[in-house]
């Protein structure tokens, strides 16, 4: 009886020590600026698909789940800063569902 309890206790401990991988396949957008950024969208270059995000408040983050397809794709982020200047940056050089990663993009 004690061996079973010990086995369960060790299993729970090992499971709790494994890294939490819920952020795999996500882009975390951090607006570190003191200003709102607007018209944020995620652009899949090869597929020609654009997912609108909207606005991201100052000093906040947004988690975007990548929409994988059978083909690799390059992903850009587009946004407008507080001076109404449009920005575009490559966030993911290639996204393939066989190689899910966590990506982070900081707006400063």
């Amino acid at each position: 009886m004690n061996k079973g309890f010990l086995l369960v206790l060790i299993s729970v401990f090992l499971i709790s020590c494994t890294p939490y991988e819920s952020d795999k396949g996500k882009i975390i957008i951090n607006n570190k600026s003191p200003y709102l950024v607007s018209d944020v969208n995620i652009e899949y270059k090869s597929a020609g698909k654009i997912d609108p995000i909207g606005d991201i408040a100052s000093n906040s983050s947004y988690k975007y789940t990548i929409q994988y397809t059978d083909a690799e794709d390059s992903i850009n982020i587009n946004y407008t800063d507080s001076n109404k200047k449009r920005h575009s940056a490559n966030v993911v050089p290639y996204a393939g569902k066989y190689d899910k990663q966590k990506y982070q993009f900081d707006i400063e």
Side-chain angles (χ1 to χ4, degrees), residues 15-95:
I15 290 170
S16 67
C17 290
T18 56
Y20 191 66
E21 298 189 8
S22 71
D23 285 343
K24 292 256 183 182
K26 295 195 189 278
I27 300 171
I28 300 168
I29 306 165
N30 299 309
N31 180 6
K32 294 183 173 185
S33 77
Y35 306 103
L36 174 87
V37 292
S38 59
D39 300 323
V40 181
N41 66 52
I42 300 294
E43 177 184 10
Y44 294 80
K45 293 302 283 182
S46 297
K49 175 183 170 188
I50 296 178
D51 277 347
I53 303 296
D55 299 339
I56 300 177
S58 64
N59 300 308
S60 65
S61 296
Y62 181 86
K63 286 186 182 180
Y64 174 81
T65 302
I66 297 171
Q67 308 300 314
Y68 291 99
T69 63
D70 290 333
E72 294 178 355
D73 208 340
S74 177
I75 301 174
N76 286 358
I77 182 170
N78 306 304
Y79 65 94
T80 303
D81 67 15
S82 62
N83 295 321
K84 306 296 181 206
K85 182 178 178 189
R86 192 77 178 145
H87 298 268
S88 182
N90 183 263
V91 179
V92 183
Y94 68 89

